[in-house]
Amino acid sequence: LLEVTPTINTVEYDIGDCLFVSTEIPNFFRGANDYAEIKSLTIIDRSVDAPAMSVYLTTDSTTLGAINATADGADSVVEDVQCIIPVVAADFLGGANFTDTASVACITDPANDGIGCIVGSNGSSSIYICAILAAGAETFAVGDLTFKIGVKYI
């Protein structure tokens, strides 16, 4: 299980904005020619907003866009996208009868034994994560979002 809490800002985000710049997850891969299957993605949202988003994994450190600005990544960045994981507000459990201090989403596909995206190292041991807001306007505090990625090395 690999975990990252990216740097976000406190200004309101609009639909299509990058929630944070591409954030490195070092030592994601065991070697320069390694592959992994993404099994699950858990998102802890301490704002309890349950934000719909698309989560991108790439081996290119160049971001899909500036923080809190419309995603406008260069073609070379878009071509390096390894996996996109859509997250909708209904995926989150939080508030009354759940966790009052956070919303939590765990994305997986039990019918396929996990999410199933295959990602390759492309000569690096790191992978980068970025997310784009998919619905509504949202405001966060620093440290509100944590991502945990379950992987199976193949």
Side-chain angles (χ1 to χ4, degrees), residues 36-118:
E37 179 183 0
I38 305 301
K39 302 297 273 180
S40 65
L41 173 68
T42 299
I43 304 169
I44 300 170
D45 166 33
R46 292 171 190 83
S47 71
V48 197
D49 286 340
M53 66 182 80
S54 296
V55 178
Y56 292 77
L57 299 176
T58 176
T59 56
D60 190 328
S61 63
T62 305
T63 191
L64 290 169
I67 189 170
N68 207 346
T70 302
D72 62 353
D75 289 346
S76 61
V77 176
V78 174
E79 290 169 3
D80 189 58
V81 170
Q82 302 276 315
C83 181
I84 302 171
I85 305 167
V87 180
V88 298
D91 290 328
F92 287 89
L93 298 177
N97 301 320
F98 296 106
T99 54
D100 288 340
T101 58
S103 296
V104 179
C106 184
I107 311 302
T108 189
D109 185 355
N112 293 323
D113 195 29
I115 291 173
C117 287
I118 305 297

Side-chain angles (χ1 to χ4, degrees), residues 22-39:
S22 292
T23 302
E24 182 180 19
I25 303 174
N27 303 314
F28 181 91
F29 295 104
R30 299 172 297 180
N33 295 309
D34 202 14
Y35 293 89
E37 179 183 0
I38 305 301
K39 302 297 273 180

